[in-house]
Amino acid sequence: MAPWHRFRRTHKHPDQPPVEPERRALLDALLALPPVYRRTVLLYDGLGLDLPETAAETEASTPAAANRVLNARAAIVDRVPAAGHAGTPQALSSVLRERITDLAQAGPASLTALPKARVVRVGGERRRRFWTRAAIAFTTLIVGATAFTVVTVPPHHVRPVPVGQRVGGIPVSSGPQRLTVEDIELRDKLRREPARGPHRLVLDIR
């Protein structure tokens, strides 16, 4: 019923078709139907569900499910001679149910042996609990990571300090030459005795 089952490994390696002409004709007729028609006729005529249940399983309205059953039956009758001898719709449904059941039981025992209802229910509940806990754990992880990011993130953008690199090709900065010992003594002497000397060389600061 689920569309993603076509990606399973068993669908990539289908079973060998039956060699009996009647079973092969019924199988070809079912495979020639559109998927929605094939699901509807298998649920209604193969499993014996009533029309409202079939409509609910195929997610369609009851008139749409009835129309699909009629069109599927007409296509099967054209290709399966045994189904064409049924005079009434009830007889046709009975014949199709017998033929579909016989076709299903012709497969390997690993596929035709249905598990018990308790096994199916327990397995479904176990898978549901696993996925529920996995969803809760994943949601908790996302919430925790978001809270940690909100707490630790700085309130403003901090520009990273670039790594220092040696700069070349720039000329040496020019300036006064370094003073010698005599130059330093002369400078100090001039600073200590600024007003001594001839009168014409003394500054008159007023």
Side-chain angles (χ1 to χ4, degrees), residues 103-193:
L103 179 62
Q105 293 179 351
S110 59
L111 299 177
T112 57
L114 297 178
K116 296 182 179 180
R118 179 178 178 82
V119 176
V120 176
R121 182 171 61 254
V122 171
E125 292 177 354
R126 185 181 296 110
R127 287 190 299 270
R128 185 177 66 252
R129 287 194 300 268
F130 170 77
W131 288 113
T132 302
R133 294 173 181 174
I136 293 175
F138 182 74
T139 305
T140 304
L141 179 62
I142 294 297
V143 172
T146 304
F148 177 78
T149 304
V150 171
V151 172
T152 57
V153 70
H156 58 277
H157 175 67
V158 179
R159 180 176 297 179
V161 180
V163 180
Q165 298 180 358
R166 182 181 297 275
V167 178
I170 301 177
V172 179
S173 59
S174 60
Q177 298 180 357
R178 298 184 61 181
L179 300 178
T180 61
V181 177
E182 292 79 5
D183 296 335
I184 294 175
E185 292 178 354
L186 180 60
R187 183 192 62 185
D188 296 339
K189 183 177 180 181
L190 291 174
R191 289 178 179 178
R192 291 193 303 268
E193 303 174 357

